[in-house]
Amino acid sequence: VRSRSGDTEAYAVLVDAYKTALYRHCFALVRNEDTAEDIAQETCIAAYYALARFDPRKGRLSTWLFKIATNKALNWLKREARMVAADDTLIARIASTQPGPAESMLHKELHAAVAQLRPKYRAVISLYYWQGFSYHDIATVLNAPEGSVKVWMQRAKHSLRKELA
């Protein structure tokens, strides 16, 4: 409530609560640390300016924040895809992005397999498994019917099984 009335200190507390999860979600989608950090920051800035329009009756703040982050990440991926068509060297740079060194081999394999999925499948995996969102909340974030989210999850799991087998 204080954040919605322009209290920057209250908003800073909100940002601290969500910044790591937003970064992880963005990284799961874009697979680039710098870009994920930029998108997470842009999300917090955009949310601050749009906070007065947030309606808690329509959903949780976390769902709203992740929707903003997902849209920004998917828009970035669309722009990047257009650039890849014009510049093949970008493919090598994207493909060389690796998860952090502290992760185990299994996590590296899983993240590499998830990175190969279509963007909406990556989003579903990230939101469900890594952020703990329900199918209903994922549908809200992705602005899609809940049934579509369930189908995307099935397809994502099927693709991951094939990739990791």
Side-chain angles (χ1 to χ4, degrees):
V1 174
R2 289 182 19 222
S3 298
R4 292 182 68 199
S5 63
D7 184 341
T8 55
E9 289 180 28
Y11 189 72
V13 171
L14 284 176
V15 168
D16 284 342
Y18 290 106
K19 68 182 179 184
T20 302
L22 285 169
Y23 166 78
R24 287 182 181 154
H25 174 63
C26 292
F27 182 78
L29 296 176
V30 301
R31 304 304 297 166
N32 179 294
E33 291 177 2
D34 293 333
T35 301
E37 188 174 319
D38 289 346
I39 293 170
Q41 286 177 351
E42 288 174 20
T43 297
C44 293
I45 292 167
Y48 178 76
Y49 288 111
L51 201 54
R53 294 189 307 264
F54 169 67
D55 185 356
R57 295 173 300 198
K58 292 184 179 178
R60 296 182 304 177
L61 178 67
S62 60
T63 304
W64 182 68
L65 288 171
F66 277 89
K67 182 174 186 165
I68 294 169
T70 300
N71 288 339
K72 288 188 173 296
L74 293 176
N75 287 339
W76 182 86
L77 287 169
K78 287 176 190 171
R79 284 192 307 273
E80 194 76 0
R82 286 192 298 269
M83 290 172 52
V84 167
D87 184 0
D88 287 339
T89 61
L90 194 57
I91 295 172
R93 184 174 62 81
I94 293 169
S96 69
T97 303
Q98 297 295 321
E103 293 180 273
S104 70
M105 187 57 110
L106 179 60
H107 284 116
K108 286 181 182 180
E109 287 179 35
L110 178 61
H111 282 279
V114 170
Q116 300 303 312
L117 296 174
R118 294 172 59 185
K120 63 184 172 186
Y121 297 169
R122 287 197 306 256
V124 169
I125 293 291
S126 172
L127 290 169
Y128 186 81
Y129 288 106
W130 298 329
Q131 302 305 325
F133 278 40
S134 68
Y135 283 120
H136 175 75
D137 288 342
I138 295 169
T140 301
V141 168
L142 298 179
N143 198 26
E146 195 171 331
S148 295
V149 169
K150 290 177 181 178
V151 169
W152 296 342
M153 179 64 82
Q154 277 184 315
R155 290 178 182 166
K157 288 178 183 179
H158 178 74
S159 294
L160 287 174
R161 276 190 218 102
K162 283 176 30 181
E163 182 71 27
L164 295 172

